[in-house]
Amino acid sequence: MDTFRTILATIVCLGSLIIIHELGHYLVARWCGVKVLRFSVGMGRIVWMRKFGKDQTEWALSAIPLGGYVKMLDAREGDVSGLPAEDLAREFTRQSVWKRIAIVAAGPLANFLLAIALYAGLYMSGVREPTARIAEPAQATAAAAAGLHRGDLVKSVNGDPVQGWSELRWAIIQSAIHKEALSLVVERPGHGEVRASLPAEAAGHASLEDDVPAVIGLDLMRPPPVIGRMEEGGAARRAGMLKGDVIQAVDGQPIDDARSFVAEVLRSPGRKLLVTVLREGRPLQLELTPDAVEDKQANSKGLVTVGKIKAELVGAVDTMVVHYGPLESGAKAVRQVKEICTMTFKILGRMIVGEVSLKNITGPLTIAEYAGETAKMGAEPFIAFVAFISVSLGLMNLLPIPVLDGGHLLYYSLEVLTGRPVSERFGEMAQRIGLGLLVSLMALAIFNDLARLL
């Protein structure tokens, strides 16, 4: 079922984005009077095709589902000398440079407009997300030094109001990228509003490959762990735990959330733990001895021995539904797309100078994985993911690499500046270089995907 969901979600995500992108090229080409010969979803050999319209445009599905194209009447792709005058007037290279720029730019622009529409729709319909209430900051973090505590509800960051955890997380990541200090206003139970400041170095020194908020000590507050389903013969069963028991402490040390309890269990294989649980409103102490199990852990070169109790931990975080009006939703959607673009270009710049690892370049396998995961979570996360990928697709196509839209826009910009088109020989050489670079990037992306999955 999960595999089918992932495949379907990937088809819906990438298929819709490719169609929207190519529709942008197609509609503006028609608007500019250019004859369109073929509209293809996918690349390579055509597996299905039908002709429609006055121009008998071919609408096709092709074998390789990574991309698509709009084929226009173009003198660079074949002899057009025998065509009637009315068709020659609709040939692509005979159009003004500004029309050609509009046609090429329309694809990425369509992706940006789609993302804005999707984000605006989400903001208007209301998005349920965790509140911006933080867990107890770890010692020696900037958040702990600033005097923040478990249960603090962040109301604003650097003067900008915060609604929900995603806005808080985004503001922190932005501060890390821009290397800015953080000025927070939090609502503390029993104390009202409290102000706290975190220095620029706190976020600026965090790697974008890390969980930036957690690095500076700001993490989502989660509820105390509650025992759910247990396996027969497991350590939890042997200790006498029951479904619904709330974990309060281990060996006298308070347990705030499930992650703290899991970490304590993992590092205690075969060691007796004195666990305090809350059962029917009364505290109860149980002796829990996690089973010693060999397991593959993150950052480990081999198997390590960890503790397992074979019990499910349940409990929902505090959430809220965030609503915005039509105008505010549109403005917020535009700002969201703009911020994604800015963040992406900054990350690319830091990749070029070696500050960010090339491992962050991901490909279709990662997109498929996240498409399946977000589809499993519900419509809202999936739509938000599609909007994010739509922006990424638009940006990727604007890179000044020959064979991409950005490369063609570079040619036409040079034509505007010099008053003449780039030479045919230069164009051919640039196409070869661009194709090689694009294939290399795709190979690196797929390699990173496989390395992460395996």
Side-chain angles (χ1 to χ4, degrees):
M1 182 63 180
D2 285 345
T3 301
F4 176 75
R5 182 192 294 115
T6 297
I7 293 172
L8 181 60
T10 304
I11 292 172
V12 171
C13 175
L14 293 182
S16 61
L17 298 185
I18 291 169
I19 290 172
I20 290 295
H21 181 93
E22 299 306 334
L23 271 177
H25 291 311
Y26 171 81
L27 293 174
V28 175
R30 291 293 302 270
W31 179 66
C32 290
V34 175
K35 185 173 183 178
V36 179
L37 304 179
R38 180 183 299 151
F39 183 107
S40 175
V41 177
M43 310 290 285
R45 184 176 62 86
I46 294 175
V47 296
W48 178 91
M49 186 267 290
R50 291 290 186 275
K51 294 183 179 182
F52 297 99
K54 180 181 177 182
D55 292 332
Q56 288 293 282
T57 301
E58 298 175 353
W59 295 79
L61 293 176
S62 298
I64 304 174
L66 299 178
Y69 62 92
V70 171
K71 182 179 181 180
M72 291 167 270
L73 184 61
D74 193 327
R76 297 168 299 182
E77 298 180 3
D79 184 15
V80 297
S81 58
L83 294 176
E86 59 268 23
D87 279 349
L88 286 176
R90 301 176 64 193
E91 190 265 329
F92 179 77
T93 62
R94 284 171 167 77
Q95 311 306 310
S96 70
V97 66
W98 295 109
K99 283 188 176 182
R100 282 177 275 144
I101 287 175
I103 293 169
V104 172
L109 180 61
N111 286 125
F112 296 142
L113 292 176
L114 174 64
I116 291 171
L118 291 176
Y119 279 129
L122 286 174
Y123 296 139
M124 282 190 289
S125 66
V127 180
R128 178 169 291 280
E129 60 176 85
T131 59
R133 197 175 295 277
I134 66 171
E136 185 67 26
Q139 293 182 358
T141 62
L148 295 170
H149 294 287
R150 176 180 172 85
D152 286 348
L153 179 66
V154 181
K155 305 296 289 186
S156 70
V157 176
N158 294 338
D160 295 325
V162 167
Q163 293 192 78
W165 182 257
S166 65
E167 284 195 3
L168 173 60
R169 180 179 175 80
W170 183 260
I172 295 169
I173 292 174
Q174 288 295 302
S175 73
I177 293 172
H178 298 294
K179 299 183 179 180
E180 297 174 342
L182 285 170
S183 177
L184 307 181
V185 175
V186 303
E187 184 180 281
R188 182 168 296 166
H191 294 80
E193 287 193 349
V194 177
R195 297 181 180 274
S197 297
L198 284 74
E201 307 82 61
H205 289 166
S207 168
L208 294 177
E209 300 170 34
D210 300 327
D211 183 351
V212 179
V215 168
I216 65 176
L218 295 176
D219 204 354
L220 176 65
M221 189 182 84
R222 295 169 174 84
V226 178
I227 298 296
R229 183 178 57 84
M230 295 174 286
E231 293 184 22
E232 291 293 339
R237 284 279 192 192
R238 296 198 306 270
M241 288 184 168
L242 299 178
K243 185 176 182 180
D245 283 352
V246 181
I247 309 296
Q248 291 189 311
V250 173
D251 290 338
Q253 297 298 315
I255 294 295
D256 291 330
D257 54 40
R259 293 200 302 180
S260 301
F261 181 60
V262 169
E264 191 66 40
V265 169
L266 286 174
R267 61 173 170 259
S268 305
R271 184 169 69 87
K272 185 182 295 184
L273 302 174
L274 188 61
V275 179
T276 303
V277 302
L278 189 67
R279 180 181 297 171
E280 297 179 351
R282 293 182 298 178
L284 176 68
Q285 289 190 332
L286 302 172
E287 292 184 350
L288 174 69
T289 304
D291 297 321
V293 178
E294 287 191 337
D295 192 21
K296 173 72 175 176
Q297 296 291 298
N299 302 320
S300 172
K301 295 182 180 180
L303 294 176
V304 295
T305 302
V306 298
K308 294 289 180 72
I309 66 171
K310 297 183 179 180
E312 179 185 37
L313 299 178
V314 298
V317 299
D318 187 21
T319 62
M320 63 186 295
V321 177
V322 183
H323 287 279
Y324 301 92
L327 292 179
E328 192 178 7
S329 293
K332 186 174 175 61
V334 171
R335 184 167 66 250
Q336 177 81 348
V337 170
K338 178 183 175 182
E339 288 176 346
I340 292 173
C341 293
T342 301
M343 181 183 69
T344 302
F345 282 126
K346 285 185 176 291
I347 291 174
L348 285 174
R350 293 177 71 172
M351 280 185 184
I352 292 172
V353 299
E355 292 183 6
V356 174
S357 172
L358 293 177
K359 292 179 181 179
N360 287 280
I361 297 176
T362 56
L365 296 179
T366 297
I367 292 175
E369 180 185 3
Y370 279 98
E373 288 298 319
T374 54
K376 184 178 180 179
M377 293 166 63
E380 290 174 5
F382 180 68
I383 291 172
F385 175 73
V386 172
F388 179 82
I389 297 299
S390 187
V391 178
S392 300
L393 179 61
L395 286 176
M396 185 192 73
N397 275 278
L398 285 178
L399 293 177
I401 300 175
V403 312
L404 293 180
D405 294 333
H408 294 294
L409 290 174
L410 178 62
Y411 295 161
Y412 302 145
S413 298
L414 292 174
E415 184 175 342
V416 170
L417 293 174
T418 63
R420 64 179 185 274
V422 297
S423 68
E424 187 174 333
R425 183 180 179 186
F426 175 83
E428 290 177 355
M429 290 178 59
Q431 290 287 100
R432 293 193 185 99
I433 295 172
L435 183 60
L437 180 58
L438 189 61
V439 169
S440 299
L441 286 174
M442 284 297 297
L444 176 61
I446 293 173
F447 175 80
N448 287 340
D449 285 352
L450 292 174
R452 185 181 58 81
L453 291 174
L454 299 178

